Amino acid sequence: MTIDATMTGLARPQPRRVVVAELVDRSRKRLDTLSDARLTATFEDLLYMERKRLERAPPEPELEGHLDDLAKALVRGGRSDRMDAALGVIGLWGDEIHGRFNPRVYRGATRVLPRALSGLLSGRPGRLRDWSLSSQSRLRVKGNLPLLAQLAKESTLVLAPTHVSNLDSPLIGLALYLAGLPPFVYGAGLNLFSNPMVGWWLGRLGAYTVDRTKKARLYKDVLKDYSVRCLTTRHHSLFFPGGTRSRSHEVEPRIKKGLLGTAAVAWQEMLAAKRPDSEVYIVPLTLSFTLTLEAATLIEDHLADAGKQRYIITDDEFAQPRRLASFFRRVMDLDSAMVAHFGDPIDCLGFPVSADPAERAEQAIHRRRYVTDAQGEVEWDAQRDRIYTDRLGGALIDAWPRYAEVLPTHLAAWAAWRCLEAQVGSTDPFRLVRTPADGRHLDRGDYLACLRTELQRVKDGGKAGRWGEQLPNTAEEVLEVALDRFARYHRSRALTTADSRVFVQDPKLCLYYRNRLTFMDRENA
Amino acid sequence: MKVGILGGGAWGQALGRLVMAAGHEPFIAYRDVRPPQLLRSSKVPTKVAAECELLIAATSASELRQAIRATQPGPQHRVVVAGRGVEPDSGTWLTDVVLQESTALRVGALVGPAPVDEILNGGLCAGVVASRFDEVRNLLTEALHSSRYRVYESTDLSGVQLAGAVVPVLASLLGVARHLQGAGVGVHALVLSRGLEEASRLAEAIGADPRTFAGLAGVGDLVAAQGREGHPHFDAGAALARGETDQGPKALAATLVGLARGHGVEMPLTEALLAIYQGLPPVEAVQMLMARPAAAERS
């Protein structure tokens, strides 16, 4: 697919040195506003964090040279010496962060990759030739796609998905392709680039580099600068506002606002420059998977409450080629194994965006007054913008569950967990996952009654997107489908049946899949 | 700076005087009675909104929703509610009423002792403005702070609004305690200290800062309520002690009890006031409170 130049700035890549110079310049301007004391503290933080990181990282001679210069400048140099050394580090960071998108590679890749990926998703290579990307996809794409295509032409989009699996990024890429949307840039962990082949493709298809081992505050600022730069040059961007894969499998109930806040900054920069295409719209995207590749590792991590310590999990199922192949072979050959539901767009303050062009133009004029003075000039106020971003975050947290697809595995596990809670007499998940096997047998009749009630609750919810086409009409069918799905991939099953009873074979997996629906209880609270 | 004031009653006029004392121009939107000519005013609230970026709502809590609908503040406005914290019927925070009824986002609350007659006669006073937005606090401080009126700033919007809602209830309870036959200064002290403690518990439960109650919005306002004749809520308490239940903060008490129950917080004094409104004789309410089991002072 040729990239439509009206739809994305990716069609007009700028030389790397220009981009890096701009990042350095943005940092210089921000650092110039700091007092000597704060500047020193910022640079000390940079020096300490980077040297600490380098203790466990491969040697980086150029970086170490700049750090040595900075250390000397902090001891006996002046403000400008310190600044020069720090900007040297920032230049290296900028070079590392900046993506290597290549329109020609993208064009070639879009001829091959969707077919290859869809072949993987079909599980039957023989179907490759006649595989229709739109109608038979194992990845179902939902939402007001014509509106999003229109908005991609007239504004800049930020895609804000829920985060379930490491497979999210390539699947979102496929979903964007199926939806007729241009490619989005996104931050990919530096660890993913360690494989030269994967890194080459990631960079040239729109990924930029995020090194989560870099803890210096200044590094986060440079990342934000890069994001602002991407947005102001009309690179539609993808952020995972949850920050990392949801360990518990809950639809994210809270978010990290760092990169999300760059949407408001970019919008105001474009307003200040009197750009006609200054609007930045945020598109919630909820991903729903019948089964999750890394479910066992993620729920274990969640229960160990080690999510923070193991922020970057490098030894999960995603890193095991056999498990990955098994997952594709056994799971993806299912109708609606995955659903990507694009939500209605919202603006940088969390207000809905109209589908009507005239009304949308009026909204844009109205919206500007939240950040401009009586003369229409932008009033910069980072504190105010943080509150606006909080509001946007709240709007996303409200929106994601609306587009969540209730799938049989989720609902069957949800009902089983409810029965288990009643049987054990506790709602404490830590107690429930330790329940001995003989306490995890559920009476089939009671279980089906509970499942029936919950099924009806989903139906009655009636919110857009909830009711998947693949969710059967009866509790018996939901259980049957769920049991089939659970048996396909995981080493132990969340649920099985034995002697006319339903058995919670692996309570951790059961907890993982039931957690996807916790929003139902939040809504009823 | 032009400062819009919604409400031309005594409180609106007092705020108008304070705005003038701070060297700015008040512009009052009134509904029924036109304020004195010294204070510029209009019966058309949208006219006030068109001229002023800062709007201070000085209506009663029950009239705020209507005032905001009539004024239609927009994205450019900073709206500060100078009222009693919670809308009586719905239990909605007053700043949330503004958010519900307009497209304004930058909101705040002004709470504190407001002896209107003293302010109108040139008396000295102070208040606390709370908002999450620095610019709202700064603007309100600029508009009101003078040698006559000190403005203190807080980021604890929930706490300040909660204090604004709690003080009328506690003032009424103090009125009951002061005028109940046989109740001396000991009961008065008990109600004051335990009332602040239960309010602090609720504050903590809703994510507000309990220390806010030690400030102008809490203790400050309460001292003003009991320290002078004719305070409406204190007098309502006195009337309750006589068995007259037709005035005072009944709706506020019910709202607070509902809020507390929703957060699993005990508020025995507020519940007692509500029970008195519902027909429990005040003496029995006091006996019930005194019969409660012993407990730690700080829970």
Side-chain angles (χ1 to χ4, degrees):
Chain A
M1 184 169 86
T2 309
I3 304 175
D4 182 347
T6 64
M7 283 183 110
T8 172
L10 274 173
R12 301 175 296 278
Q14 282 187 298
R16 171 165 293 273
R17 59 181 168 71
V18 172
V19 177
V20 173
E22 192 187 318
L23 288 176
V24 170
D25 194 46
R26 279 176 179 269
S27 287
R28 186 198 311 276
K29 282 179 184 153
R30 191 178 44 252
L31 293 168
D32 275 343
T33 65
L34 300 184
S35 65
D36 283 346
R38 283 201 61 193
L39 192 73
T40 303
T42 304
F43 290 163
E44 283 171 349
D45 172 75
L46 157 65
L47 188 62
Y48 174 75
M49 290 297 181
E50 279 298 86
R51 283 193 161 162
K52 199 174 164 197
R53 181 181 68 82
L54 285 169
E55 285 171 11
R56 289 187 210 156
E60 297 179 44
E62 197 176 353
L63 174 66
E64 284 162 27
H66 286 304
L67 292 177
D68 288 344
D69 291 345
L70 181 58
K72 284 178 203 154
L74 282 168
V75 175
R76 53 177 178 270
R79 188 177 169 107
S80 64
D81 301 321
R82 295 170 183 183
M83 188 75 100
D84 287 346
L87 291 178
V89 176
I90 289 168
L92 292 179
W93 286 345
D95 187 50
E96 179 188 89
I97 292 169
H98 182 44
R100 289 170 162 75
F101 183 81
N102 184 323
R104 277 187 301 174
V105 174
Y106 176 81
R107 206 162 43 239
T110 49
R111 287 197 198 110
V112 179
L113 281 184
R115 196 164 282 274
L117 198 47
S118 57
L120 271 173
L121 296 183
S122 78
R124 274 166 267 179
R127 284 165 57 178
L128 262 172
R129 267 163 299 173
D130 54 72
W131 203 81
S132 156
L133 282 172
S134 55
S135 60
Q136 296 176 37
S137 178
R138 300 312 179 246
L139 171 63
R140 285 190 184 269
V141 180
K142 293 178 153 188
N144 188 346
L145 306 180
L147 173 64
L148 297 183
Q150 179 57 34
L151 293 181
K153 281 186 181 166
E154 66 185 55
S155 59
T156 308
L157 298 182
V158 170
L159 193 59
T162 56
H163 200 356
V164 178
S165 162
N166 274 338
L167 293 174
D168 290 355
S169 299
L171 291 172
I172 290 170
L174 180 61
L176 289 168
Y177 178 82
L178 293 172
L181 292 169
F184 279 49
V185 297
Y186 67 100
L190 186 64
N191 50 321
L192 294 176
F193 287 82
S194 56
N195 179 327
M197 182 76 138
V198 174
W200 192 90
W201 279 104
L202 281 176
R204 276 147 189 87
L205 292 178
Y208 59 88
T209 313
V210 177
D211 185 355
R212 288 191 193 136
T213 65
K214 290 193 173 79
K215 302 291 185 194
R217 286 193 298 269
L218 212 45
Y219 179 73
K220 290 178 183 163
D221 289 338
V222 176
L223 267 181
K224 288 179 191 170
D225 284 342
Y226 185 73
S227 174
V228 170
R229 191 211 162 267
C230 285
L231 292 169
T232 54
T233 48
R234 294 214 51 230
H235 291 59
H236 307 300
S237 299
L238 183 157
F239 309 145
F240 288 106
T244 182
R245 288 170 294 172
S246 171
R247 299 301 196 257
S248 66
H249 200 212
E250 272 187 88
V251 177
E252 283 82 343
R254 62 192 71 81
I255 61 168
K256 293 175 187 290
K257 300 177 194 94
L259 278 184
L260 202 57
T262 61
V265 177
W267 168 52
Q268 290 173 75
E269 279 195 10
M270 290 190 277
L271 275 182
K274 314 282 183 204
R275 293 247 308 257
D277 56 353
S278 59
E279 296 308 310
V280 178
Y281 297 129
I282 289 79
V283 182
L285 170 65
T286 306
L287 299 166
S288 304
F289 292 78
T290 292
L291 294 175
T292 306
L293 171 71
E294 312 98 312
T297 305
L298 293 174
I299 191 65
E300 198 68 56
D301 202 47
H302 170 67
L303 288 170
D305 196 25
K308 281 180 186 163
Q309 289 81 352
R310 300 187 68 210
Y311 195 73
I312 314 163
I313 300 177
T314 54
D315 55 352
D316 62 17
E317 294 83 346
F318 188 73
Q320 301 166 29
R322 281 189 183 178
R323 296 287 292 163
L324 196 56
S326 160
F327 184 76
F328 272 104
R329 200 169 57 246
R330 298 178 188 179
V331 177
M332 298 302 193
D333 187 25
L334 296 168
D335 285 335
S336 289
M338 299 147 291
V339 183
H341 195 146
F342 291 90
D344 293 332
I346 50 183
D347 66 19
C348 294
L349 297 100
F351 289 113
V353 174
S354 174
D356 175 63
E359 200 176 330
R360 199 157 61 238
E362 273 177 33
Q363 284 179 335
I365 294 166
H366 185 81
R367 186 181 307 118
R368 283 166 203 177
R369 289 154 72 197
Y370 286 108
V371 293
T372 55
D373 62 16
Q375 285 70 47
E377 299 298 326
V378 171
E379 289 181 304
W380 297 100
D381 184 342
Q383 195 271 343
R384 173 201 64 201
D385 293 346
R386 277 197 293 277
I387 302 174
Y388 287 165
T389 302
D390 281 349
R391 197 174 186 283
L392 168 61
L396 280 173
I397 289 168
D398 287 345
W400 281 322
R402 280 205 296 276
Y403 307 111
E405 196 93 351
V406 178
L407 296 169
T409 46
H410 308 157
L411 196 59
W414 173 260
W417 195 258
R418 189 139 282 190
C419 291
L420 194 62
E421 284 176 340
Q423 193 160 297
V424 176
S426 170
T427 56
D428 176 7
F430 293 94
R431 187 171 164 196
L432 291 168
V433 294
R434 289 198 308 269
T435 306
D438 56 1
R440 301 199 303 265
H441 289 278
L442 309 172
D443 179 82
R444 190 183 174 93
D446 291 347
Y447 171 77
L448 285 173
C450 177
L451 184 54
R452 213 166 282 127
T453 306
E454 297 303 323
L455 186 63
Q456 192 58 45
R457 215 170 128 202
V458 177
K459 280 184 183 175
D460 292 344
K463 294 190 176 173
R466 281 293 161 74
W467 187 249
E469 295 91 338
Q470 301 305 312
L471 192 58
N473 275 316
T474 68
E476 288 78 1
E477 287 173 298
V478 170
L479 177 61
E480 190 185 330
V481 174
L483 290 173
D484 170 71
R485 303 303 188 250
F486 285 135
R488 278 179 179 252
Y489 163 68
H490 292 299
R491 286 185 174 130
S492 63
R493 301 172 190 187
L495 297 179
T496 60
T497 48
D499 303 332
S500 76
R501 287 177 164 198
V502 175
F503 178 47
V504 181
Q505 188 183 60
D506 187 331
K508 289 178 185 171
L509 280 180
C510 184
L511 174 66
Y512 178 83
Y513 286 105
R514 67 75 71 176
N515 279 347
R516 197 59 181 170
L517 304 187
T518 47
F519 59 80
M520 298 213 300
D521 276 352
R522 282 209 301 275
E523 284 170 0
N524 285 358
Chain B
M1 171 170 58
K2 284 183 187 171
V3 180
I5 296 169
L6 311 181
W11 181 217
Q13 290 178 35
L15 284 168
R17 302 275 182 138
L18 293 176
V19 168
M20 287 174 74
H24 303 290
E25 299 172 49
F27 188 9
I28 297 179
Y30 68 96
R31 192 182 63 185
D32 300 321
V33 182
R34 185 178 181 154
Q37 281 214 323
L38 174 72
L39 298 165
R40 188 175 164 227
S41 61
S42 167
K43 208 166 179 175
V44 184
T46 48
K47 200 171 160 186
V48 173
E51 287 191 28
C52 309
E53 278 193 349
L54 175 62
L55 300 173
I56 307 176
T59 65
S60 69
S62 56
E63 289 171 328
L64 177 68
R65 193 174 289 274
Q66 191 50 44
I68 295 297
R69 279 182 193 158
T71 310
Q72 281 303 304
Q76 73 278 25
H77 288 111
R78 285 76 163 174
V79 185
V80 175
V81 182
R84 283 284 170 215
V86 177
E87 189 178 44
D89 293 334
S90 67
T92 309
W93 299 119
L94 293 184
T95 49
D96 286 347
V97 170
V98 177
L99 296 175
Q100 286 170 4
E101 297 295 339
S102 74
T103 56
L105 285 182
R106 289 171 277 185
V107 297
L110 176 69
V111 177
V116 172
D117 44 353
E118 282 183 23
I119 293 172
L120 287 171
N121 287 316
L124 309 181
C125 197
V128 55
V129 59
S131 173
R132 291 186 66 201
F133 291 89
D134 289 353
E135 58 169 320
V136 172
R137 298 194 304 273
N138 295 342
L139 209 57
L140 194 281
T141 303
E142 190 188 341
L144 288 180
H145 192 85
S146 70
S147 56
R148 280 184 56 190
Y149 189 78
R150 292 188 61 78
V151 180
Y152 292 86
E153 296 186 18
S154 166
T155 53
D156 185 18
L157 182 58
S158 306
V160 161
Q161 292 197 99
L162 180 63
V166 163
V167 164
V169 171
L170 293 184
S172 296
L173 280 163
L174 289 173
V176 174
R178 177 78 66 83
H179 291 88
L180 202 61
Q181 208 170 9
V185 73
V187 175
H188 190 95
L190 184 65
V191 169
L192 181 65
S193 54
R194 297 310 298 166
L196 287 169
E197 168 61 19
E198 72 178 36
S200 299
R201 281 201 298 267
L202 180 56
E204 211 155 6
I206 65 168
D209 184 351
R211 290 176 302 175
T212 296
F213 286 88
L216 279 164
V219 172
D221 204 359
L222 209 48
V223 167
Q226 58 168 351
R228 68 192 173 91
E229 292 296 317
H231 189 282
H233 297 114
F234 191 77
D235 287 356
L240 269 179
R242 295 192 299 270
E244 299 163 21
T245 57
D246 56 344
Q247 52 184 312
K250 181 183 174 185
L252 267 181
T255 297
L256 289 172
V257 166
L259 189 63
R261 285 183 184 153
H263 286 86
V265 173
E266 263 196 308
M267 293 190 83
L269 284 167
T270 309
E271 286 185 31
L273 184 73
L274 190 60
I276 295 171
Y277 273 115
Q278 289 164 347
L280 184 73
V283 174
E284 282 184 34
V286 172
Q287 285 168 347
M288 266 174 52
L289 288 168
M290 295 304 289
R292 284 167 57 82
E297 186 174 30
R298 298 254 179 272
S299 50

